[in-house]
Amino acid sequence: MKYLLSIVKPQIAILTTITMIYQENFEDLDEIAKEYQKLVKALPQNGYLILNFDDERIKNLKQFFKGKKNTYGFSDGADFQAKNIKKILVGQEFYLHTINSKTDDLIKINRFGNHLIYATLIKEIMQRYLLSTTP
C-alpha cells in the first residue's frame, strides 16, 4: 500500500471486503486490514470514505478517518441499508433505507445476487454525494 500511495493520492475510497486474495503477502485478514488502514489514513480531510457495514474489519476502519464517510450494507445501522430483499420475475427488489430519511425507496435491479445489491447501494451513495457536492 505504501508504494501505491506514493503514486496516487486518492480523494475517495470505497472499501468492500477483506479477503485472503493476497494471502501470499499477508499472514491473516487482520494484516490485510492494516494495509487498508494506510489507505484510509491517506485520504485528505475533504475526501470521502465509503465502507461496507457488513464486514467487521472494513466497518472498523471508519475510526481512522475524520472526514465525510458513509456505510452501506444489509445490517441495521448502515447509513444506506438494503431491506426486505425479494426475488422477482426479472431480478430482485429491495427497499433502500437511509439513516436520515423517513421513507424508504423501492429499488429494482434486473439481475440476481447480493453483490449486485452492494453495487447498487454504492451507486446510490455516489449519486447522492455527487449531487450534494455539485455547485
Side-chain angles (χ1 to χ4, degrees):
M1 189 64 70
K2 183 177 179 181
Y3 171 71
L4 292 174
L5 290 171
S6 73
I7 298 170
V8 296
K9 305 294 182 211
Q11 303 295 308
I12 297 172
I14 301 170
L15 302 180
T16 56
T17 190
I18 296 176
T19 65
M20 286 304 292
I21 193 168
Y22 304 110
Q23 65 188 5
E24 69 275 0
N25 298 320
F26 300 98
E27 193 171 307
D28 58 25
L29 294 175
D30 291 330
E31 287 293 314
I32 297 171
K34 288 179 185 174
E35 287 298 301
Y36 279 63
Q37 200 179 107
K38 293 175 186 175
L39 171 61
V40 170
K41 289 179 177 179
L43 288 173
Q45 287 303 310
N46 65 343
Y48 189 35
L49 178 62
I50 301 172
L51 302 167
N52 182 343
F53 197 77
D54 298 332
D55 185 303
E56 202 63 34
R57 287 178 182 88
I58 293 288
K59 179 172 72 170
N60 289 335
L61 291 172
K62 68 182 176 187
Q63 66 185 314
F64 300 103
F65 184 65
K66 302 295 182 213
K68 182 169 176 49
K69 56 191 160 243
N70 281 117
T71 58
Y72 66 93
F74 302 110
S75 303
D76 288 339
D79 298 328
F80 288 74
Q81 180 187 5
K83 299 173 81 170
N84 303 324
I85 301 160
K86 293 180 187 170
K87 289 184 179 177
I88 56 176
L89 187 60
V90 293
Q92 53 193 346
E93 67 181 24
F94 64 92
Y95 283 90
L96 171 62
H97 174 75
T98 54
I99 201 86
N100 295 324
S101 178
K102 293 180 179 154
T103 60
D104 297 342
D105 299 319
L106 179 64
I107 306 277
K108 294 182 181 186
I109 53 178
N110 61 356
R111 304 257 188 200
F112 297 98
N114 286 348
H115 63 292
L116 294 168
I117 294 174
Y118 279 132
T120 302
L121 291 171
I122 293 168
K123 181 185 93 170
E124 289 292 324
I125 292 170
M126 287 305 299
Q127 285 177 336
R128 293 168 193 223
Y129 170 73
L130 292 173
L131 286 174
S132 71
T133 58
T134 303

